[in-house]
Amino acid sequence: RFHGTDLFYHPRQQTVNHERAPANVVPQPRVSVQARDRIMKDYLDGISVKDLTIKYGMLPERVKMIIFQRYHFWTERFPNQDLYFSNLGLELEDLLHGHQPIQDYGIDLDEMVAREEGAPVYRMSLSEKDRRPPIHLSKKTLQFYRKRKSARHTKVITGFVGQGPKGYFLKDWIVYRGRNAQKVNRMFKRIIQHSHSKKEELLPGCVKN
């Protein structure tokens, strides 16, 4: 079989089937070795997996698999194997081209379009308890949501700096309650409301000074 990549072949582990597929059956296309090496080189140059999926029209899972396999082959397998097996793997690649088409771009476009459309949501029929919930369960649910506190802060991603694994995200920290919150506290509201008015004497002494 091909170990790690499509280039490593051992004659004891796999036999090549020379029989052609039936005329009415279209075999699944494959990505060429040259394209796989280009994907690994682009990733090492700093291009992210997300950009590679758009550039080559592949799913992120396929891009990650190709990067791992090619990197493992060039760093672990190729330096420790005989050149004969490398040449044999290339000959097998040329032999498979006659039985299986090559597609370097858009091999997963149909699946990517299906994922962009979203997954269907099926509504199940409501039970009697869903239509007419008991009073004690309704009160318990309302009490739970009333006691639940709102979020104190939220971190929103605003951008990305760099390329590939060395990049980092820029986040905006939005505070709703407590310190650094966008809304003012009660004392500030009192100062604005009673300053330069007849009720200014109601303000604390530290504010008057």
Side-chain angles (χ1 to χ4, degrees):
R1 65 182 178 87
F2 295 114
H3 188 85
T5 64
D6 291 349
L7 290 181
F8 188 80
Y9 172 79
H10 198 284
R12 295 182 180 178
Q13 296 178 355
Q14 178 177 343
T15 58
V16 179
N17 186 9
H18 296 279
E19 297 181 0
R20 291 185 176 271
N24 57 349
V25 177
V26 179
Q28 180 69 20
R30 302 170 60 252
V31 183
S32 64
V33 179
Q34 294 77 10
R36 278 175 275 175
D37 287 335
R38 288 197 301 268
I39 292 174
M40 186 193 69
K41 182 179 181 303
D42 292 341
Y43 180 78
L44 295 178
D45 291 340
I47 302 179
S48 63
V49 175
K50 182 179 180 180
D51 294 336
L52 289 174
T53 57
I54 300 175
K55 181 178 180 180
Y56 292 95
M58 301 178 184
L59 292 174
E61 304 92 272
R62 188 185 296 271
V63 174
K64 294 178 182 180
M65 178 191 66
I66 291 175
I67 294 172
F68 172 78
Q69 289 181 344
R70 302 307 295 171
Y71 185 81
H72 179 75
F73 172 76
W74 288 113
T75 57
E76 299 293 337
R77 292 296 179 181
F78 184 76
N80 300 321
Q81 75 179 14
D82 190 0
L83 188 60
Y84 168 77
F85 291 102
S86 299
N87 295 332
L88 182 60
L90 292 175
E91 293 179 1
L92 288 174
E93 285 286 341
D94 296 336
L95 179 63
L96 291 175
H97 290 178
H99 301 271
Q100 205 168 9
I102 292 296
Q103 185 175 354
D104 293 343
Y105 174 80
I107 193 171
D108 295 324
L109 281 181
D110 295 338
E111 180 66 22
M112 294 171 68
V113 171
R115 292 188 181 185
E116 288 292 333
E117 293 177 354
V121 178
Y122 300 97
R123 182 185 178 92
M124 307 301 292
S125 60
L126 297 178
S127 63
E128 185 66 23
K129 185 177 291 187
D130 295 328
R131 291 195 296 267
R132 297 184 181 89
I135 298 176
H136 67 281
L137 290 179
S138 300
K139 291 182 178 180
K140 186 177 180 180
T141 304
L142 291 175
Q143 188 177 6
F144 170 77
Y145 282 107
R146 286 174 181 174
K147 291 183 178 180
R148 188 177 181 181
K149 295 182 180 180
S150 60
R152 296 182 61 91
H153 58 83
T154 303
K155 294 182 179 179
V156 181
I157 298 176
T158 59
F160 184 80
V161 178
Q163 291 183 347
K166 298 182 180 180
Y168 56 90
F169 290 99
L170 298 178
K171 297 182 179 180
D172 188 8
W173 191 8
I174 303 175
V175 182
Y176 302 112
R177 296 186 290 113
R179 293 184 178 181
N180 300 325
Q182 295 179 353
K183 59 183 181 180
V184 297
N185 53 20
R186 294 181 180 179
M187 180 57 67
F188 186 81
K189 292 181 180 179
R190 288 178 57 188
I191 295 172
I192 298 299
Q193 184 178 2
H194 301 310
S195 295
H196 306 288
S197 64
K198 297 179 180 181
K199 296 183 179 181
E200 188 174 1
E201 57 184 12
L202 299 177
L203 297 175
C206 61
V207 177
K208 294 180 183 179
N209 298 331

